[in-house]
């Protein structure tokens, strides 16, 4: 078993300490071992363990469970990675630039020599997966996901799991265009509207769109969270759930920040700036539980029509979205849009429609639900592979 290269990944999230947590942690570790030793392996139990409080606890456990969650065959895991040819590789220069900028993704205090060696392995994994799967297209942010698998699993296992993930969960992000990525982001506002119409209407009035959540989605939050423990905890959750779960988690973060959002000036650039600065002290376990609740309450099949309708509604801003995603500078795009909007207002009289009073005060109690995570987790797991309309999630 390859020793974990991450730091503190086994620590409990959100400061859970003391004898009670230690007892539950030991019991959970024993339950995971029992599920792994069952014949056949009890994958459903492993999914429940990955979703429930604390996730998979350690990187050593993750190295055993993540392949099961992704259904990677044992013989694939045993394959030694082939040598990667970098010369004349169309993606090499961009991958190299992104990896060189990824210093903050490595544990603080790691010796330079060790980090540089891991960066070389990171480049090789990315180029290897792309070479094996020419239908996949590299995108900026992909390396943030790959480095997480590398730090937890090592190069050999990471290569196998990243390839499976890239052809399934991440498949839509790796198309030649960003149409499917945009479509997945279109689920964000319908989820928010179902739970808190007031926040939804405020964001619509501000015309903030969903660009602020782009890096969250395409990196599984790896690019925006500074604590590696939180990153791997979310990966436990996402790997055990439906491929659209990251967008539910994004919605939960926005809803959690309700007061901040509604107190912000109703201005596109201001709201975008607020939402794009993700807090580092989020109550992750609570938010994971709530995201599971939302998925059960409002499954993707129920939101599909609304998400599809946003395709046409967002068509006027898609050029901005595409530009922001390629330049990684959404703030500048929003500022330009703001200037254009102000110029248009000077030349015409625009009637400002206020949010419906009825919609402002209608609140669903989803965020206050205290559904036991075990029950919610079971429902999430049972529906994890049932739905994939329009999205090419399972080719």
């Amino acid at each position: 078993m390859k020793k974990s290269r991450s730091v503190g990944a086994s620590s409990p999230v959100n400061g859970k300490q003391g004898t009670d947590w230690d007892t539950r942690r030991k019991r959970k570790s024993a339950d995971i071992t029992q599920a792994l030793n069952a014949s056949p392996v009890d994958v459903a139990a492993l999914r429940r363990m990955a979703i429930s409080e604390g996730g998979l606890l350690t990187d050593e456990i993750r190295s055993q469970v993540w392949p099961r969650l992704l259904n990677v065959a044992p013989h694939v895991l045993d394959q030694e990675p082939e040598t990667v040819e970098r010369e004349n590789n169309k993606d090499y220069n961009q991958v190299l630039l992104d990896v060189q900028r990824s210093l903050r993704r490595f544990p603080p205090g790691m010796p330079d020599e060790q980090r540089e060696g891991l960066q070389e392995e990171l480049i090789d994994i990315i180029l290897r997966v792309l070479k094996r799967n020419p239908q996949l297209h590299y995108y900026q942010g992909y390396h943030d996901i790959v480095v997480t698998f590398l730090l937890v699993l090592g190069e050999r296992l990471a290569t196998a799991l990243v390839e499976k993930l890239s052809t399934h969960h991440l498949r839509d992000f790796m198309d030649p265009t960003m149409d499917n990525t945009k479509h997945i982001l279109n689920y964000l506002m319908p989820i928010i509207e179902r739970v808190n119409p007031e926040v939804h209407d405020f964001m619509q009035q501000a015309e903030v769109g969903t660009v602020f959540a782009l890096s969250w989605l395409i990196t599984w939050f790896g690019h925006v969270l500074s604590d590696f423990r939180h990153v791997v905890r979310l990966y436990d959750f996402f790997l055990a759930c439906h491929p659209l779960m990251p967008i539910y988690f994004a919605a939960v973060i926005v809803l959690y920040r309700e007061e901040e959002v509604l107190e912000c000036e109703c201005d596109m650039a201001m709201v975008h700036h607020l939402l794009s600065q993700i807090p580092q002290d989020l109550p992750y376990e609570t938010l994971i539980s709530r995201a599971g609740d939302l998925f059960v309450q409002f499954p993707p099949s129920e939101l599909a029509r609304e998400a599809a309708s946003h395709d046409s509604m967002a068509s006027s801003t898609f050029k901005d979205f595409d530009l922001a995603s390629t330049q990684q500078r959404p703030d500048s795009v929003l500022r330009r849009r703001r200037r254009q909007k102000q110029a248009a207002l000077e030349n015409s009289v625009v009637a400002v429609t206020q949010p419906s009073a009825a919609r402002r005060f209608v609140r669903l109690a989803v965020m206050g639900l205290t559904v036991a995570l075990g029950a919610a987790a079971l429902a999430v797991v049972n529906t994890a592979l049932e739905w994939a309309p329009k999205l090419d999630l399972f080719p």
Side-chain angles (χ1 to χ4, degrees):
M1 184 68 62
K2 185 176 286 293
K3 184 178 180 181
S4 168
R5 306 195 207 196
S6 62
V7 175
S10 62
S11 301
V13 182
N14 293 342
K16 292 251 178 216
Q17 302 289 342
T19 304
D20 183 51
W21 167 248
D22 289 339
T23 300
R24 287 183 286 121
R25 184 175 179 274
K26 290 177 181 177
R27 183 169 62 247
K28 185 174 192 179
S29 180
D31 290 341
I32 293 173
T33 300
Q34 182 178 355
L36 285 168
N37 291 336
S39 183
V41 172
D42 191 346
V43 178
L46 294 177
R47 290 187 185 280
R48 290 194 294 271
M49 300 296 173
I51 294 170
S52 62
E53 183 182 15
L56 295 175
L57 304 175
T58 71
D59 286 353
E60 183 177 1
I61 293 176
R62 290 183 178 99
S63 68
Q64 299 175 70
V65 176
W66 281 6
R68 298 293 183 176
L69 297 181
L70 284 173
N71 194 29
V72 179
H75 75 274
V76 175
L77 298 175
D78 293 335
Q79 293 176 356
E80 288 297 328
E82 69 275 16
T83 302
V84 180
E85 177 59 50
R86 298 184 178 187
E87 294 296 327
N88 301 319
N89 187 299
K90 64 182 180 62
D91 296 304
Y92 173 66
N93 289 333
Q94 185 60 58
V95 171
L96 177 63
L97 288 173
D98 290 344
V99 169
Q100 288 176 337
R101 291 194 291 253
S102 66
L103 298 184
R104 58 179 291 274
R105 291 304 317 280
F106 293 88
M110 175 178 282
D112 289 345
E113 184 178 355
Q114 182 182 5
R115 174 185 50 76
E116 290 168 0
L118 288 171
Q119 287 180 303
E120 291 299 311
E121 292 179 5
L122 177 57
I123 293 172
D124 285 343
I125 293 172
I126 294 173
L127 296 181
R128 188 177 295 123
V129 170
L130 294 173
K131 181 180 179 181
R132 293 178 184 176
N133 302 272
Q135 77 278 16
L136 301 179
H137 297 263
Y138 178 76
Y139 65 88
Q140 289 181 281
Y142 181 67
H143 70 288
D144 281 301
I145 291 182
V146 179
V147 72
T148 302
F149 281 84
L150 173 61
L151 290 173
V152 172
L153 306 172
E155 183 179 9
R156 179 172 57 83
L157 290 181
T159 298
L161 269 63
V162 166
E163 181 171 14
K164 185 64 174 287
L165 192 75
S166 301
T167 55
H168 290 75
H169 291 65
L170 307 180
R171 180 64 183 84
D172 291 286
F173 307 148
M174 306 190 76
D175 276 346
T177 71
M178 298 198 70
D179 289 351
N180 276 341
T181 302
K182 177 173 69 74
H183 179 75
I184 295 173
L185 277 171
N186 284 342
Y187 280 81
L188 181 65
M189 295 306 292
I191 298 170
I192 293 173
E193 183 177 25
R194 296 297 181 93
V195 181
N196 194 323
E198 185 177 8
V199 170
H200 170 271
D201 290 345
F202 181 87
M203 293 174 66
Q204 289 289 84
Q205 186 175 345
E207 296 185 344
V208 68
T210 56
V211 176
F212 68 87
L214 175 62
S215 65
W216 304 358
L217 180 67
I218 64 176
T219 70
W220 277 13
F221 297 85
H223 183 71
V224 294
L225 298 182
S226 59
D227 193 325
F228 192 72
R229 295 174 304 164
H230 299 153
V231 175
V232 293
R233 174 65 188 100
L234 287 182
Y235 278 42
D236 292 341
F237 180 48
F238 295 153
L239 288 172
C241 293
H242 190 287
L244 288 178
M245 187 56 79
I247 203 68
Y248 282 81
F249 192 80
V252 164
I253 290 178
V254 175
L255 293 165
Y256 174 76
R257 304 181 69 191
E258 170 190 0
E259 291 185 7
E260 294 177 82
V261 172
L262 295 179
E263 289 175 0
C264 183
E265 180 182 346
C266 191
D267 171 81
M268 180 169 41
M270 295 291 289
V271 178
H272 170 84
H273 179 73
L274 170 69
L275 291 174
S276 63
Q277 303 299 309
I278 189 169
Q280 297 298 310
D281 59 347
L282 294 170
Y284 292 94
E285 294 298 338
T286 299
L287 297 184
I288 285 172
S289 179
R290 289 176 174 176
D293 291 342
L294 287 186
F295 186 92
V296 174
Q297 190 83 7
F298 309 117
S301 56
E302 184 178 318
L303 303 173
R305 181 171 297 181
E306 294 171 63
S309 71
H310 277 265
D311 283 340
S312 57
M313 292 170 59
S315 61
S316 63
T317 61
F318 178 66
K319 289 183 179 179
D320 293 338
F321 172 89
D322 203 27
L323 181 62
S325 65
T326 55
Q327 294 186 348
Q328 305 290 303
R329 292 289 302 277
D331 281 324
S332 63
V333 175
L334 290 173
R335 283 195 294 270
R336 185 172 64 254
R337 281 185 58 196
R338 182 184 180 190
R339 289 195 297 269
Q340 293 170 346
K341 179 181 177 182
Q342 290 174 337
L345 286 172
E346 292 173 358
N347 297 323
S348 63
V349 177
V350 179
V352 179
T353 304
Q354 297 297 328
S356 162
R359 292 176 65 196
R360 289 175 67 91
F361 295 106
V362 173
R363 299 291 185 90
L364 297 175
V366 176
M367 295 302 284
L369 288 178
T370 55
V371 177
L373 186 58
L378 182 60
V380 172
V381 168
N382 287 342
T383 59
L385 302 180
E386 290 177 359
W387 184 87
K390 184 171 183 177
L391 308 181
D392 188 21
L393 291 171
F394 301 103

